[in-house]
Amino acid sequence: MPNVTIQQMPKTVEQKRELVARITDAMVDVYKAPAETVHVWFHEVTTEDYAAAGRLVADKLAQK
């Protein structure tokens, strides 16, 4: 059973629905996995929960 975890900033439900459909289609096409066995998890983090180059993204956005 293919398991896919997506780590990202929060997205809309519509965006997640489309992404899940596309990922599932890709797994079916490439791995020949039955669609019902493809599992996708979203792990969403806020700008306060993510850092790059030693700084929180929230702090970088606050400076703009």
Side-chain angles (χ1 to χ4, degrees), residues 12-37:
T12 67
V13 171
E14 292 81 17
Q15 289 172 313
K16 289 187 256 186
R17 281 188 186 114
E18 183 173 347
L19 186 58
V20 165
R22 291 184 185 204
I23 289 170
T24 300
D25 289 345
M27 290 291 190
V28 169
D29 290 344
V30 176
Y31 288 169
K32 308 301 184 217
E36 60 273 7
T37 68

Side-chain angles (χ1 to χ4, degrees), residues 1 5 9 11 13 15 17 24-26 31 34 37 42 47-48 52-53 56 60:
M1 134 174 74
T5 302
M9 300 296 215
K11 304 295 182 206
V13 171
Q15 289 172 313
R17 281 188 186 114
T24 300
D25 289 345
Y31 288 169
T37 68
F42 288 98
T47 57
E48 295 173 355
L56 289 175
K60 290 180 183 183

